[in-house]
């Protein structure tokens, strides 16, 4: 095993942007799939609750969407969430239109006209929010997102007042083209299908809580208008839109509070939270990247950040039920609940060796293939003139040290880590 002094080779070129290839697809898929669960589970819960909605007093049920969506809007306002605020206001506006103008039969006017306009306008508005970036509501794009829905509604109401007969003819034509027996016109149904697929794509691409809420909004509003004849459907499903928003807002705050922004693994706050759930038997390893300052000095902080991401990705692959946390800087922590040092030592040694043998290739921004498949084919096809070999040092301790007190066990692991550093780095040392 090469020593830390030879832990990396100097680059033969100075890249304008450095990237490092690593396999993290499986790590990303778990949180992405979790984003889909919130709108889907809420949708199922709403459909289960719908037949029992008549048990709730009418006035309370009718006001429920206003209360929940207004609460979501207030949280978004305080947290400077532009798209979340726009989604909540859009839901409130649409529900207000339904409650005040669509309680008559759709065959009558202006109910039919308003329903047709709402069915066409709503998926377009959701699609526009999906395409906007995540910004504060005080940012220009956030202001556009927040004001777009009410301004568009005012514009359409003005046009409707100018030429109601034309709108009446168009509404009659649209309602005549029912989509498979639903209340939705065929064109509107295709718009809702299209915007739902767009939401799925954006969620897979950006893995964003706001996109998760917009997916729920598209599904729930589409179902509401499609089965509009069902009693209480608008109240139940629009209340569910507010619930999806609230859940995603809470999850986003937890993600910010307990996740490291750079490496996307749990942070020190999450470590101390996990410490409260430990059994009497556990082990803890402190991990430190060797000569990390030299990497930053020679290759810049962009490469340093990439190294941290790669090491975090490798540590996430630890077995034996271990959980990885970024403790700070280039230091990480691995926690094994229910396992002592003897049970985890071999797994940690394999992990240390895997990191030491991993060849991290530096690529120029312009020479890096845009398509992942082309990048996979290119790797190994030519000699690697510019690479970095990283090593880590580890210190391991378990709850048999210092009566199992978490802070003392961590201190023992930290002392063992420094012992590994003094012994030459790139090694694992177990606390005595």
């Amino acid at each position: 095993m090469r020593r830390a002094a030879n832990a990396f080779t100097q680059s033969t070129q100075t890249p304008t942007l450095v990237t490092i290839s690593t396999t993290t697809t499986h790590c990303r898929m778990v949180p992405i799939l979790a984003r889909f669960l919130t709108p889907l589970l809420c949708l199922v819960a709403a459909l289960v609750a719908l037949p029992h909605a008549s048990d709730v007093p009418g006035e309370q049920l009718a006001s429920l969407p206003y209360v929940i969506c207004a609460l979501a809007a207030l949280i978004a306002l305080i947290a400077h969430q532009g798209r979340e605020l726009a989604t909540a206001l859009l839901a409130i506006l649409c529900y207000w239109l339904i409650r005040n103008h669509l309680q008559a039969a759709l065959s009558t006017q202006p109910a039919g006209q308003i329903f047709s306009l709402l069915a066409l306008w709503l998926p377009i508005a959701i699609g526009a929010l999906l395409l906007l970036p995540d910004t504060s509501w005080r940012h220009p794009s956030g202001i556009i997102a927040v004001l777009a829905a009410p301004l568009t509604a005012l514009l359409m109401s003005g046009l409707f007042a100018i030429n109601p007969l034309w709108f009446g003819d168009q509404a009659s034509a649209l309602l005549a083209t029912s989509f498979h027996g639903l209340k939705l016109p065929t064109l509107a149904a295709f718009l809702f299908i299209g915007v739902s697929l767009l939401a799925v794509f954006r969620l897979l691409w950006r893995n964003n809580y706001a996109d998760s809420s917009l997916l729920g909004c598209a599904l729930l509003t589409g179902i509401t208008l499609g089965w509009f004849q069902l009693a209480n459907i608008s109240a139940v499903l629009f209340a569910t839109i507010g619930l999806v928003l609230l859940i995603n807002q809470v999850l986003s705050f937890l993600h910010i509070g307990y996740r490291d922004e750079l490496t996307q693994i749990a942070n020190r706050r999450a470590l101390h939270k996990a410490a409260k759930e430990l059994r009497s038997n556990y082990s803890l390893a402190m991990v430190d990247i060797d000569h990390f300052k030299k990497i930053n000095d020679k290759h810049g902080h962009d490469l340093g950040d990439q190294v941290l991401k790669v090491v975090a990705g490798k540590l996430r692959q630890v077995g034996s039920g271990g959980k990885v946390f970024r403790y700070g800087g280039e230091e990480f922590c691995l926690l094994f609940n229910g396992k002592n040092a003897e049970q985890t030592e071999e797994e940690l040694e394999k992990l240390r060796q895997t990191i030491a043998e991993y060849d991290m290739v530096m690529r120029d921004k312009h020479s890096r293939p845009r398509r992942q498949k082309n990048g996979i084919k290119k790797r190994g096809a030519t000699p690697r003139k510019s690479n970095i070999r990283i090593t880590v040092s580890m210190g391991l301790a378990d709850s048999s040290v210092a009566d199992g007190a978490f802070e003392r066990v961590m201190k023992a692991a930290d002392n063992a880590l420094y012992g590994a550093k003094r012994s030459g780095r790139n090694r694992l040392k177990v606390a005595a």
Side-chain angles (χ1 to χ4, degrees):
M1 192 65 63
R2 67 176 65 192
R3 292 287 184 178
N6 298 321
F8 56 88
T9 58
Q10 188 171 357
S11 171
T12 58
Q13 59 182 356
T14 304
T16 56
L17 177 66
V18 182
T19 60
I20 300 174
S21 61
T22 184
T23 305
T24 58
T25 303
H26 69 286
C27 295
R28 285 190 72 242
M29 286 308 297
V30 174
I32 288 175
L33 293 176
R35 302 287 193 274
F36 283 98
L37 285 178
T38 300
L40 295 179
L41 290 178
C42 287
L43 172 59
V44 172
L47 295 178
V48 171
L50 183 59
H52 308 284
S54 56
D55 297 337
V56 181
E59 291 185 3
Q60 295 180 14
L61 181 63
S63 62
L64 192 60
Y66 291 125
V67 174
I68 299 178
C69 289
L71 179 60
L74 178 62
I75 294 174
L77 188 70
I78 295 172
H80 294 273
Q81 297 173 325
R83 292 200 298 157
E84 288 85 346
L85 177 59
T87 304
L89 294 178
L90 177 65
I92 292 172
L93 176 61
C94 292
Y95 184 68
W96 179 83
L97 287 172
I98 291 172
R99 293 296 304 173
N100 289 275
H101 299 284
L102 295 181
Q103 298 305 302
L106 298 183
S107 58
T108 63
Q109 302 302 339
Q113 298 166 327
I114 295 174
F115 181 86
S116 300
L117 287 172
L118 186 62
L120 293 177
W121 167 66
L122 191 50
I124 295 173
I126 296 172
L129 291 176
L130 283 166
L131 295 175
L132 287 174
D134 260 328
T135 60
S136 166
W137 55 266
R138 295 196 294 186
H139 188 273
S141 63
I143 295 173
I144 292 172
V146 171
L147 296 181
L151 290 179
T152 305
L154 287 174
L155 176 63
M156 289 193 299
S157 63
L159 294 174
F160 176 77
I162 294 173
N163 197 344
L165 294 177
W166 182 84
F167 276 97
D169 294 339
Q170 298 302 315
S172 299
L174 282 172
L175 292 173
T177 60
S178 175
F179 184 74
H180 292 286
L182 301 179
K183 293 296 183 181
L184 271 180
T186 300
L187 177 58
F190 280 116
L191 286 175
F192 271 107
I193 293 172
V195 78
S196 298
L197 293 175
L198 175 62
V200 169
F201 172 77
R202 299 297 283 182
L203 192 52
L204 290 172
W205 180 259
R206 294 196 295 196
N207 189 20
N208 186 281
Y209 285 104
D211 294 328
S212 174
S213 297
L214 286 166
L215 173 60
C217 187
L219 294 174
L220 290 162
T221 53
I223 292 173
T224 299
L225 298 181
W227 283 268
F228 197 69
Q229 74 281 4
L230 297 180
N232 301 314
I233 189 170
S234 62
V236 173
L237 268 61
F238 272 81
T240 307
I241 291 173
L243 182 62
V244 171
L245 278 165
L246 287 174
I247 292 174
N248 277 326
Q249 286 173 321
V250 171
L251 291 176
S252 69
F253 298 148
L254 289 174
H255 182 83
I256 293 171
Y258 291 102
R259 287 278 162 182
D260 177 61
E261 184 177 0
L262 177 65
T263 60
Q264 289 301 303
I265 62 174
N267 59 16
R268 187 188 297 195
R269 185 181 290 110
L271 172 63
H272 289 292
K273 179 177 179 292
K276 300 176 182 178
E277 303 169 1
L278 291 173
R279 305 170 194 166
S280 58
N281 179 33
Y282 67 91
S283 58
L284 182 150
M286 298 300 294
V287 182
D288 188 84
I289 302 174
D290 296 327
H291 295 297
F292 184 73
K293 185 177 184 301
K294 290 184 179 180
I295 297 171
N296 271 336
D297 292 343
K298 283 192 175 183
H299 305 287
H301 291 284
D302 286 341
L303 177 63
D305 288 346
Q306 294 294 330
V307 168
L308 288 169
K309 291 179 183 179
V310 169
V311 172
K314 291 296 179 183
L315 293 176
R316 289 177 76 165
Q317 300 173 19
V318 65
S320 301
K323 294 182 180 180
V324 60
F325 305 84
R326 186 179 180 193
Y327 193 71
E330 67 270 25
E331 198 168 10
F332 299 85
C333 178
L334 290 165
L335 192 59
F336 302 86
N337 198 4
K339 300 286 179 69
N340 58 31
E342 184 178 354
Q343 292 172 304
T344 57
E345 184 177 0
E346 183 179 354
E347 178 66 30
L348 288 170
E349 182 60 34
K350 289 180 181 178
L351 189 61
R352 181 200 61 77
Q353 187 173 357
T354 298
I355 295 172
E357 294 176 351
Y358 185 72
D359 196 12
M360 304 184 192
V361 181
M362 298 198 313
R363 295 189 180 92
D364 193 299
K365 176 182 178 180
H366 302 291
S367 64
R368 180 176 175 85
R370 291 188 178 183
R371 293 175 62 87
Q372 185 178 4
K373 291 182 179 179
N374 295 338
I376 294 172
K377 292 179 181 178
K378 189 174 180 180
R379 288 170 200 148
T382 57
R384 294 176 175 179
K385 297 181 180 179
S386 181
N387 56 52
I388 294 179
R389 193 64 67 86
I390 299 298
T391 62
V392 297
S393 299
M394 298 180 174
L396 175 63
D398 63 21
S399 51
S400 64
V401 178
D403 299 327
F406 181 75
E407 295 295 338
R408 295 180 182 177
V409 174
M410 178 178 287
K411 182 66 175 177
D414 205 42
N415 290 336
L417 168 64
Y418 284 103
K421 292 278 190 182
R422 288 191 297 268
S423 299
R425 294 182 171 85
N426 189 23
R427 62 189 63 213
L428 167 67
K429 188 174 180 61
V430 183

